Amino acid sequence: MNELLQRLEVYAVQNHVPIIGKDSVRLLTDAVMAKKPRAVLEIGTAIAYSTLLIAANAAEDAKITTIELDPARAEMARKVINQASRQSSIEVVEGDAAQILPELTGPFDLVFIDAAKGQYLKYLLQVIDKLLPGAVIIADNILFRGMVKGGAVVPRRYRTIVTRLRAYLDFVTTDLRFDTIVHETGDGVAVTYYRGENNH
């Protein structure tokens, strides 16, 4: 598995595929190891790099559903998953997460969000009713190049993304159903724990 992950790291650099950064890798693997989830949802597969990281650290019988919009990346992800002999436990669903999420039944005890930055809150709202109490939600790139926190001037082309990421953070840090830690390492990772509907 490590050799395959290293090959994916090289491929990602050479082909400009965005994969989870080194700082985020540690936070993700720590959260997965602590939780040992059995039902995982990943939004944003890319080339299945983070998918395999989750699989390696989740419960042995874990099932992972991962969603990828780009058909070419979804196809490569399936090949990578086959190479890792994980095809029986990982399902790659191709398409727009916003359309796929309402169709999923769940329940999930870990969700990793690393897809369209402007859609994080929408994705979370679509899966809240599919979360088990105690579920962990990990959102990558949450501080978006340092623009989300602090008073830096945000270039016009990024304003919508930054506004929406701020809305996501506001939601998971103020809604009583959630308990959130924002890690400022790398591009920022929000680790959120779902307390359940009773805390609404």
Side-chain angles (χ1 to χ4, degrees):
M1 177 79 89
N2 283 341
E3 186 186 324
L4 177 56
L5 288 170
Q6 285 168 359
R7 288 209 308 271
L8 290 176
E9 287 168 12
V10 172
Y11 177 90
V13 170
Q14 291 174 342
N15 295 275
H16 309 290
V17 177
I19 62 169
I20 184 171
K22 285 276 187 285
D23 292 311
S24 299
V25 163
R26 195 178 69 254
L27 288 166
L28 176 64
T29 51
D30 284 354
V32 175
M33 285 171 72
K35 181 67 184 171
K36 285 292 175 192
R38 300 179 63 190
V40 176
L41 171 63
E42 179 181 48
I43 305 170
T45 318
I47 52 174
Y49 178 76
S50 50
T51 322
L52 293 183
L53 274 177
I54 294 169
N57 294 284
E60 275 190 33
D61 60 346
K63 296 286 186 197
I64 300 174
T65 302
T66 181
I67 302 170
E68 176 53 46
L69 180 62
D70 184 299
R73 285 184 182 167
E75 186 181 344
M76 181 171 175
R78 289 190 187 102
K79 288 178 182 170
V80 167
I81 290 161
N82 287 344
Q83 285 170 18
S85 302
R86 296 275 184 170
Q87 61 270 34
S88 62
S89 59
I90 302 172
E91 180 189 7
V92 179
V93 182
E94 189 182 310
D96 181 352
Q99 294 175 343
I100 291 164
L101 292 174
E103 305 297 317
L104 300 178
T105 52
F108 299 103
D109 54 1
L110 188 134
V111 179
F112 179 50
I113 309 175
D114 190 12
K117 307 301 162 222
Q119 302 299 318
Y120 277 23
L121 182 54
K122 181 176 183 177
Y123 296 153
L124 177 59
L125 293 173
Q126 287 180 309
V127 298
I128 281 184
D129 63 344
K130 306 175 203 320
L131 296 176
L132 288 165
V136 185
I137 305 111
I138 303 154
D140 197 27
N141 309 114
I142 198 68
L143 299 180
F144 195 68
R145 308 175 193 182
M147 295 180 199
V148 172
K149 275 193 168 184
V153 175
V154 178
R156 181 176 301 232
R157 69 182 183 276
Y158 295 134
R159 280 180 197 161
T160 300
I161 287 176
V162 169
T163 299
R164 289 181 177 180
L165 285 172
R166 284 174 179 159
Y168 176 90
L169 277 180
D170 183 60
F171 182 73
V172 296
T173 52
T174 59
D175 189 297
L176 295 177
R177 290 171 292 179
F178 300 102
D179 189 13
T180 298
I181 303 163
V182 180
H183 299 270
E184 299 197 15
T185 50
D187 203 21
V189 179
V191 180
T192 297
Y193 299 89
Y194 178 60
R195 296 173 174 181
E197 280 298 329
N198 295 339
N199 289 289
H200 196 31

